[in-house]
């Protein structure tokens, strides 16, 4: 396949009056950024870990860095503590060429912490310290509205829906972005340990489902949101999760690749086989790869050939990320992704 779409050009959009307008290919990511503490050895419980290494984390922040790493234009909007960790995270965004003008600091709350265990099979278990953490306390008045309006794509998750005031702030940001003509991208990124109950998680995650243009979900999330229905059944996905406003619904299948659903077509793109060391950030890297392509061509979902190429590129981004420990350190460059692409068949 050819190279993925370049992000150097502006994206042509149509505003509410039907007039075409140009927007920079900027992806703005909204939500949490935190410190992950990862055991220095794999395959142990938190109690058994001899030591921990700190690493920047938080899915929306990972996506922003992933896009910038690929040469795209990205910004992050969220809140951290006015503490050593918070300033470290903001600096990491800047060092990775992510616009951090949407980052706020809270003098009364700490930056969120998460202890992440890597089990023997490379999968993760989480223990969070957020009671409350700064990211939960972002107010609508603190939003950088100009930054939101400049975006071609506005990306968000569901963690910010758990508590007020951040919940209302996310809804307000989505409204501002939509009104400005942004494509809305949603990765629920289910973290059950953070929610008061599974019922609350399902209710809130689904409450904003119909507002998104692009939705990315995993097999496990399909089972959870459909009360145990078969995540491999196209009819389940189309009847229960493909809402009228959705332009592109993606189901990630880990090393097996991903499935895609639009109003016009559906299919599957195979994965890139690699030696898995740590799955942290793989889904975020996939989203980065997709949105990097999407921001340059907002009509990508209408052309199946172009979409398949973009999804193969996104699959390769996810695959390369699992070959190293941590999320942000493992996010690949465009050159690294292109090197592995010729070895793969779509």
């Amino acid at each position: 396949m050819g190279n993925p779409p370049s992000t150097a050009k502006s994206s042509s959009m149509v505003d509410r009056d039907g007039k075409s307008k140009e927007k920079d290919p900027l992806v703005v990511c909204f939500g949490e950024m935190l410190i992950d503490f990862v055991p220095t050895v794999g395959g142990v419980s938190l109690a058994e870990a001899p030591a921990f290494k700190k690493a920047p984390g938080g899915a929306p922040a990972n996506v922003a860095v992933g896009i910038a790493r690929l040469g795209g234009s990205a910004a992050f909007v969220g809140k951290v503590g006015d503490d050593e960790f918070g300033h470290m995270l903001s600096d990491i965004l800047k060092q990775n060429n992510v616009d951090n003008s949407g980052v706020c600091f809270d003098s009364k709350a700490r930056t969120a912490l998460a202890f992440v265990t890597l089990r023997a099979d490379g999968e993760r278990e989480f223990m969070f310290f957020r009671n409350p953490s700064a990211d939960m306390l972002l107010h609508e008045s603190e939003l950088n509205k100009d930054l939101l309006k400049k975006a071609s794509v506005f990306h968000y998750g569901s963690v910010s829906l758990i508590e007020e005031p951040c919940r209302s702030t996310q809804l307000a940001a989505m409204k501002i972005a939509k009104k400005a003509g942004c494509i809305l991208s949603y990765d629920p990124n289910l973290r059950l340990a953070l929610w008061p109950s599974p019922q609350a998680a399902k209710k809130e995650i689904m409450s904003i489902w119909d507002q998104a243009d692009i939705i990315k979900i995993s097999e496990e999330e399909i089972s959870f949101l459909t009360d145990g229905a078969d995540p491999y059944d196209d009819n389940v996905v189309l009847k229960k999760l493909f809402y009228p406003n959705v332009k592109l619904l993606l189901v990630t299948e880990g090393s097996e690749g991903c499935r895609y659903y639009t109003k016009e077509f559906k299919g599957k793109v195979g994965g890139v086989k690699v030696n898995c060391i740590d799955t942290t950030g793989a889904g975020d890297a996939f989203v980065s790869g997709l949105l990097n392509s999407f921001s340059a061509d907002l009509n990508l979902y209408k052309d199946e050939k172009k979409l398949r190429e973009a999804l193969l590129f996104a699959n390769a981004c996810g695959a390369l990320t699992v070959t190293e420990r941590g999320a942000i350190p493992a996010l690949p460059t465009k050159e690294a992704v292109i090197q592995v692409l010729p070895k793969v068949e779509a």
Side-chain angles (χ1 to χ4, degrees), residues 53-182:
K53 182 180 179 182
K54 73 178 189 298
N62 291 343
V63 171
V65 173
I67 290 165
R69 190 76 51 86
L70 291 168
S73 177
F76 176 77
V77 173
K79 201 174 199 182
V80 292
D82 188 8
D83 51 38
E84 287 286 322
F85 285 153
H87 288 281
M88 182 192 99
L89 292 174
S90 181
D91 288 345
I92 284 170
L93 291 173
K94 194 172 183 180
Q95 289 159 15
N96 282 279
N97 299 313
V98 174
D99 182 337
N100 65 354
S101 62
V103 175
C104 300
F105 297 90
D106 196 304
S107 59
K108 296 188 174 73
R110 295 292 191 197
T111 301
L113 308 179
F115 284 81
V116 186
T117 311
L118 305 175
R119 299 197 313 245
D121 59 2
E123 285 299 323
R124 296 158 295 160
E125 293 171 359
F126 297 90
M127 186 163 75
F128 295 95
F129 288 79
R130 303 168 82 232
N131 53 347
S133 53
D135 61 287
M136 300 158 70
L137 302 175
L138 182 67
H139 291 265
E140 184 180 345
S141 60
E142 296 174 299
L143 283 174
N144 185 332
K145 295 181 175 65
D146 290 337
L147 185 61
L148 295 174
K149 291 172 184 174
K150 280 196 298 188
S152 290
V153 179
F154 180 63
H155 176 71
Y156 50 89
S158 70
V159 169
S160 297
L161 298 174
I162 298 171
E163 294 271 357
E164 292 290 358
C166 197
R167 180 182 179 276
S168 293
T169 305
Q170 173 165 332
L171 297 179
M174 289 165 59
K175 192 173 180 180
I176 292 164
K178 192 79 168 178
K179 193 175 179 184
C182 296

Side-chain angles (χ1 to χ4, degrees), residues 11-306:
S11 302
S12 182
M13 313 184 74
V14 177
D15 65 16
R16 290 180 175 270
D17 301 320
K19 297 173 184 173
S20 182
K21 57 181 180 174
E22 293 294 318
K23 269 203 169 190
D24 289 330
L26 172 68
V27 181
V28 173
C29 301
F30 175 96
E32 70 280 5
M33 190 174 193
L34 53 129
I35 301 287
D36 284 336
F37 283 93
V38 185
T40 52
V41 295
V44 296
S45 69
L46 291 175
E48 293 167 338
F52 294 90
K53 182 180 179 182
K54 73 178 189 298
N62 291 343
V63 171
V65 173
I67 290 165
R69 190 76 51 86
L70 291 168
S73 177
F76 176 77
V77 173
K79 201 174 199 182
V80 292
D82 188 8
D83 51 38
E84 287 286 322
F85 285 153
H87 288 281
M88 182 192 99
L89 292 174
S90 181
D91 288 345
I92 284 170
L93 291 173
K94 194 172 183 180
Q95 289 159 15
N96 282 279
N97 299 313
V98 174
D99 182 337
N100 65 354
S101 62
V103 175
C104 300
F105 297 90
D106 196 304
S107 59
K108 296 188 174 73
R110 295 292 191 197
T111 301
L113 308 179
F115 284 81
V116 186
T117 311
L118 305 175
R119 299 197 313 245
D121 59 2
E123 285 299 323
R124 296 158 295 160
E125 293 171 359
F126 297 90
M127 186 163 75
F128 295 95
F129 288 79
R130 303 168 82 232
N131 53 347
S133 53
D135 61 287
M136 300 158 70
L137 302 175
L138 182 67
H139 291 265
E140 184 180 345
S141 60
E142 296 174 299
L143 283 174
N144 185 332
K145 295 181 175 65
D146 290 337
L147 185 61
L148 295 174
K149 291 172 184 174
K150 280 196 298 188
S152 290
V153 179
F154 180 63
H155 176 71
Y156 50 89
S158 70
V159 169
S160 297
L161 298 174
I162 298 171
E163 294 271 357
E164 292 290 358
C166 197
R167 180 182 179 276
S168 293
T169 305
Q170 173 165 332
L171 297 179
M174 289 165 59
K175 192 173 180 180
I176 292 164
K178 192 79 168 178
K179 193 175 179 184
C182 296
I183 289 278
L184 298 194
S185 166
Y186 183 28
D187 177 0
N189 201 39
L190 178 65
R191 294 286 180 265
L192 263 182
L194 291 174
W195 290 88
S197 69
Q199 294 77 17
K202 184 180 176 185
K203 178 175 178 284
E204 286 297 328
I205 286 170
M206 295 306 297
S207 72
I208 60 169
W209 203 264
D210 61 345
Q211 297 186 52
D213 298 295
I214 305 169
I215 299 176
K216 172 252 168 192
I217 42 173
S218 67
E219 303 150 291
E220 295 82 9
E221 287 163 346
I222 293 175
S223 295
F224 174 74
L225 294 171
T226 60
D227 298 318
D230 181 1
Y232 302 100
D233 186 339
D234 284 347
N235 290 325
V236 167
V237 176
L238 290 168
K239 286 178 182 175
K240 299 196 174 186
L241 298 173
F242 195 89
Y243 282 30
N245 289 342
V246 176
K247 293 181 172 71
L248 176 63
L249 179 64
L250 297 164
V251 179
T252 53
E253 298 183 350
S255 61
E256 297 302 310
C258 66
R259 281 177 279 149
Y260 57 89
Y261 303 85
T262 73
K263 288 183 175 67
E264 305 299 326
F265 46 77
K266 58 183 168 64
K268 177 170 177 172
V269 177
V272 178
K273 297 292 183 284
V274 292
N275 181 31
C276 180
I277 292 174
D278 174 12
T279 58
T280 306
D284 302 330
F286 172 88
V287 173
S288 298
L290 176 74
L291 297 185
N292 187 51
S293 299
F294 227 99
S295 65
D297 181 3
L298 298 175
N299 291 312
L300 194 63
Y301 67 94
K302 294 179 180 177
D303 184 325
E304 188 168 14
K305 181 175 181 291
K306 284 184 180 177

Side-chain angles (χ1 to χ4, degrees), residues 315-335:
N315 284 347
C317 290
L320 285 174
T321 303
V322 307
T323 62
E324 292 183 42
R325 288 195 192 279
I328 285 177
L331 293 166
T333 62
K334 182 183 275 191
E335 291 70 31

